[in-house]
Coordinates of all heavy atoms in Angstrom, one line a residue:
E1 N 0.8 -1.2 0.0 CA 0.0 0.0 0.0 C 0.9 1.3 0.0 O 0.6 2.2 -0.7 CB -0.9 0.0 1.2 CG -1.8 1.2 1.3 CD -2.6 1.3 2.6 OE1 -2.4 0.4 3.5 OE2 -3.5 2.2 2.7
A2 N 2.0 1.2 0.8 CA 2.8 2.4 0.8 C 3.5 2.7 -0.6 O 3.6 3.8 -1.0 CB 3.9 2.2 1.9
R3 N 3.9 1.6 -1.3 CA 4.5 1.8 -2.6 C 3.4 2.3 -3.6 O 3.7 3.2 -4.4 CB 5.0 0.5 -3.1 CG 6.4 0.1 -2.5 CD 7.1 -1.0 -3.3 NE 6.3 -2.3 -3.2 CZ 6.4 -3.2 -2.2 NH1 7.3 -3.0 -1.3 NH2 5.6 -4.3 -2.3
M4 N 2.2 1.8 -3.5 CA 1.1 2.3 -4.4 C 0.8 3.7 -4.1 O 0.5 4.5 -5.1 CB -0.1 1.4 -4.2 CG 0.0 0.0 -4.8 SD 0.2 0.1 -6.6 CE 0.3 -1.6 -7.0
Q5 N 0.9 4.2 -2.9 CA 0.7 5.6 -2.6 C 1.7 6.5 -3.3 O 1.4 7.5 -3.9 CB 0.7 5.8 -1.1 CG -0.4 5.2 -0.3 CD -1.7 6.0 -0.4 OE1 -1.7 7.1 -1.1 NE2 -2.8 5.5 0.2
E6 N 3.0 6.1 -3.3 CA 4.1 6.9 -3.9 C 3.9 6.8 -5.4 O 4.1 7.8 -6.1 CB 5.4 6.3 -3.5 CG 5.8 6.5 -2.1 CD 5.9 8.0 -1.7 OE1 6.3 8.8 -2.6 OE2 5.6 8.3 -0.5
L7 N 3.6 5.7 -6.0 CA 3.4 5.6 -7.4 C 2.2 6.3 -7.9 O 2.2 6.9 -9.0 CB 3.3 4.1 -7.9 CG 4.6 3.2 -7.6 CD1 4.3 1.8 -8.0 CD2 5.7 3.8 -8.5
F8 N 1.2 6.3 -7.1 CA 0.0 7.1 -7.5 C 0.2 8.6 -7.5 O -0.3 9.3 -8.4 CB -1.2 6.8 -6.5 CG -2.4 7.5 -6.8 CD1 -3.2 7.2 -7.9 CD2 -2.8 8.6 -6.1 CE1 -4.4 7.9 -8.2 CE2 -4.0 9.3 -6.3 CZ -4.8 8.9 -7.4
K9 N 1.1 9.1 -6.6 CA 1.4 10.5 -6.6 C 2.2 10.8 -7.9 O 2.1 12.0 -8.4 CB 2.2 10.8 -5.4 CG 1.5 10.7 -4.1 CD 2.4 11.0 -2.9 CE 1.6 10.9 -1.5 NZ 2.5 11.2 -0.4
Q10 N 3.0 9.9 -8.4 CA 3.8 10.2 -9.6 C 3.0 9.8 -10.8 O 3.6 9.8 -11.9 CB 5.1 9.4 -9.5 CG 6.0 9.8 -8.3 CD 7.3 9.0 -8.2 OE1 7.6 8.2 -9.2 NE2 8.0 9.1 -7.1
E11 N 1.8 9.3 -10.6 CA 0.9 9.0 -11.7 C 1.4 7.8 -12.5 O 1.2 7.7 -13.7 CB 0.6 10.2 -12.7 CG -0.1 11.3 -12.0 CD -0.3 12.5 -12.9 OE1 0.1 12.4 -14.1 OE2 -1.0 13.5 -12.5
Y12 N 2.0 6.8 -11.8 CA 2.5 5.6 -12.5 C 1.4 4.5 -12.4 O 1.5 3.5 -13.2 CB 3.8 5.1 -11.9 CG 5.0 6.0 -12.3 CD1 5.7 6.7 -11.4 CD2 5.4 6.0 -13.7 CE1 6.8 7.5 -11.7 CE2 6.5 6.8 -14.0 CZ 7.2 7.5 -13.1 OH 8.3 8.3 -13.4
V13 N 0.5 4.6 -11.4 CA -0.5 3.6 -11.3 C -1.9 4.3 -11.2 O -1.9 5.6 -10.9 CB -0.3 2.8 -10.0 CG1 0.9 1.9 -10.1 CG2 -0.3 3.6 -8.8
S14 N -2.9 3.6 -11.5 CA -4.2 4.2 -11.5 C -4.8 4.2 -10.1 O -4.3 3.5 -9.2 CB -5.2 3.4 -12.4 OG -5.4 2.1 -12.0
R15 N -5.9 4.9 -9.9 CA -6.6 4.9 -8.6 C -7.2 3.6 -8.2 O -7.2 3.2 -7.0 CB -7.7 6.0 -8.6 CG -8.5 6.1 -7.3 CD -9.4 7.2 -7.3 NE -8.7 8.5 -7.4 CZ -8.2 9.1 -6.3 NH1 -8.4 8.6 -5.1 NH2 -7.6 10.3 -6.4
Q16 N -7.6 2.8 -9.2 CA -8.1 1.5 -8.9 C -7.1 0.6 -8.3 O -7.4 -0.2 -7.4 CB -8.7 0.9 -10.2 CG -9.3 -0.5 -10.0 CD -9.9 -1.1 -11.3 OE1 -9.7 -0.5 -12.4 NE2 -10.5 -2.2 -11.2
E17 N -5.9 0.6 -8.9 CA -4.8 -0.2 -8.3 C -4.5 0.2 -6.9 O -4.2 -0.7 -6.0 CB -3.6 -0.1 -9.2 CG -3.8 -0.7 -10.6 CD -2.6 -0.5 -11.5 OE1 -2.0 0.6 -11.4 OE2 -2.2 -1.4 -12.3
L18 N -4.5 1.5 -6.6 CA -4.3 2.0 -5.2 C -5.3 1.4 -4.3 O -5.1 1.0 -3.2 CB -4.2 3.5 -5.2 CG -4.1 4.1 -3.8 CD1 -2.8 3.7 -3.1 CD2 -4.1 5.7 -3.9
E19 N -6.6 1.5 -4.7 CA -7.7 1.1 -3.9 C -7.6 -0.5 -3.6 O -8.0 -1.0 -2.6 CB -9.0 1.4 -4.5 CG -9.3 2.9 -4.5 CD -10.6 3.3 -5.2 OE1 -11.2 2.4 -5.9 OE2 -11.0 4.5 -5.1
Q20 N -7.2 -1.2 -4.6 CA -7.0 -2.6 -4.4 C -5.9 -2.9 -3.4 O -6.0 -3.9 -2.6 CB -6.6 -3.3 -5.8 CG -7.8 -3.4 -6.7 CD -7.4 -4.0 -8.1 OE1 -6.2 -4.1 -8.4 NE2 -8.4 -4.2 -8.9
A21 N -4.9 -2.1 -3.4 CA -3.8 -2.3 -2.4 C -4.3 -2.0 -1.0 O -4.0 -2.7 0.0 CB -2.6 -1.4 -2.7
V22 N -5.2 -0.9 -0.9 CA -5.7 -0.6 0.4 C -6.6 -1.7 0.9 O -6.6 -2.1 2.1 CB -6.5 0.8 0.3 CG1 -7.3 1.0 1.6 CG2 -5.5 1.9 0.0
Q23 N -7.4 -2.2 0.0 CA -8.4 -3.3 0.3 C -7.6 -4.6 0.8 O -8.0 -5.3 1.7 CB -9.3 -3.7 -0.8 CG -10.4 -4.7 -0.5 CD -9.9 -6.1 -0.7 OE1 -9.0 -6.4 -1.5 NE2 -10.6 -7.0 0.0
A24 N -6.5 -4.9 0.2 CA -5.7 -6.1 0.5 C -5.1 -5.9 1.9 O -5.0 -6.8 2.7 CB -4.6 -6.3 -0.5
R25 N -4.7 -4.6 2.2 CA -4.1 -4.4 3.6 C -5.2 -4.5 4.6 O -5.0 -5.1 5.7 CB -3.5 -3.0 3.6 CG -2.7 -2.6 4.8 CD -3.6 -1.8 5.8 NE -4.1 -0.6 5.2 CZ -5.0 0.2 5.7 NH1 -5.6 -0.2 6.9 NH2 -5.5 1.2 5.1
R26 N -6.4 -4.0 4.4 CA -7.5 -4.1 5.4 C -7.9 -5.6 5.6 O -8.2 -6.0 6.7 CB -8.7 -3.3 4.9 CG -8.4 -1.7 5.0 CD -9.6 -1.0 4.5 NE -9.4 0.5 4.6 CZ -10.3 1.4 4.1 NH1 -11.4 1.0 3.6 NH2 -10.0 2.7 4.3
S27 N -7.9 -6.3 4.5 CA -8.3 -7.7 4.6 C -7.3 -8.5 5.4 O -7.7 -9.4 6.2 CB -8.5 -8.3 3.2 OG -8.8 -9.7 3.3
S28 N -6.1 -8.2 5.2 CA -5.0 -9.0 5.9 C -5.1 -8.6 7.4 O -4.8 -9.4 8.3 CB -3.6 -8.7 5.3 OG -3.4 -7.3 5.4
E29 N -5.4 -7.3 7.7 CA -5.5 -6.9 9.1 C -6.7 -7.6 9.8 O -6.6 -8.0 11.0 CB -5.6 -5.4 9.2 CG -4.3 -4.7 8.9 CD -4.5 -3.1 8.9 OE1 -5.7 -2.7 9.0 OE2 -3.5 -2.4 8.9
A30 N -7.8 -7.8 9.1 CA -8.9 -8.5 9.6 C -8.6 -10.0 9.9 O -9.0 -10.5 10.9 CB -10.1 -8.3 8.7
Q31 N -7.9 -10.6 9.0 CA -7.4 -11.9 9.1 C -6.5 -12.1 10.3 O -6.6 -13.1 11.1 CB -6.8 -12.5 7.9 CG -7.7 -12.6 6.7 CD -7.0 -13.0 5.4 OE1 -5.8 -13.3 5.4 NE2 -7.7 -13.1 4.3
L32 N -5.7 -11.1 10.6 CA -4.8 -11.1 11.8 C -5.6 -11.0 13.1 O -5.3 -11.8 14.0 CB -3.8 -9.9 11.7 CG -2.8 -9.8 12.9 CD1 -2.0 -11.1 13.0 CD2 -2.0 -8.6 12.7
A33 N -6.6 -10.2 13.1 CA -7.5 -10.1 14.3 C -8.2 -11.4 14.5 O -8.3 -11.9 15.6 CB -8.5 -8.9 14.1
Q34 N -8.7 -12.0 13.4 CA -9.3 -13.3 13.6 C -8.4 -14.4 14.1 O -8.7 -15.2 14.9 CB -9.9 -13.7 12.2 CG -10.7 -15.0 12.2 CD -11.4 -15.3 10.9 OE1 -11.1 -14.6 9.9 NE2 -12.1 -16.4 10.9
A35 N -7.2 -14.4 13.6 CA -6.2 -15.4 14.0 C -5.8 -15.2 15.5 O -5.6 -16.2 16.2 CB -4.9 -15.3 13.1
R36 N -5.7 -13.9 15.9 CA -5.4 -13.7 17.3 C -6.5 -14.1 18.2 O -6.3 -14.6 19.3 CB -5.1 -12.2 17.5 CG -3.7 -11.8 16.9 CD -3.5 -10.3 17.0 NE -2.2 -9.9 16.6 CZ -1.8 -8.7 16.4 NH1 -2.6 -7.6 16.6 NH2 -0.5 -8.4 16.0
A37 N -7.8 -13.9 17.8 CA -8.9 -14.3 18.6 C -9.0 -15.8 18.7 O -9.2 -16.4 19.8 CB -10.2 -13.8 17.9
A38 N -8.6 -16.5 17.6 CA -8.6 -18.0 17.7 C -7.5 -18.5 18.6 O -7.6 -19.4 19.4 CB -8.4 -18.6 16.3

């Protein structure tokens, strides 16, 4: 997500690719919370 933020500022990637990176980070954090609860 951090790399996508820098590339998006330099207009090397589209907004959709940035949003996909954000969604992947949030999903992985939710999986971490679920794993910790288990």
Side-chain angles (χ1 to χ4, degrees):
E1 180 187 4
R3 283 193 296 271
M4 286 295 179
Q5 291 283 359
E6 294 296 329
L7 294 175
F8 178 74
K9 291 178 181 180
Q10 299 176 11
E11 297 182 356
Y12 287 115
V13 294
S14 65
R15 179 174 295 273
Q16 181 180 4
E17 293 175 323
L18 175 61
E19 291 175 351
Q20 289 177 348
V22 172
Q23 186 273 336
R25 188 261 305 169
R26 292 178 178 175
S27 177
S28 60
E29 289 177 346
Q31 292 177 3
L32 177 61
Q34 184 177 3
R36 286 175 175 172

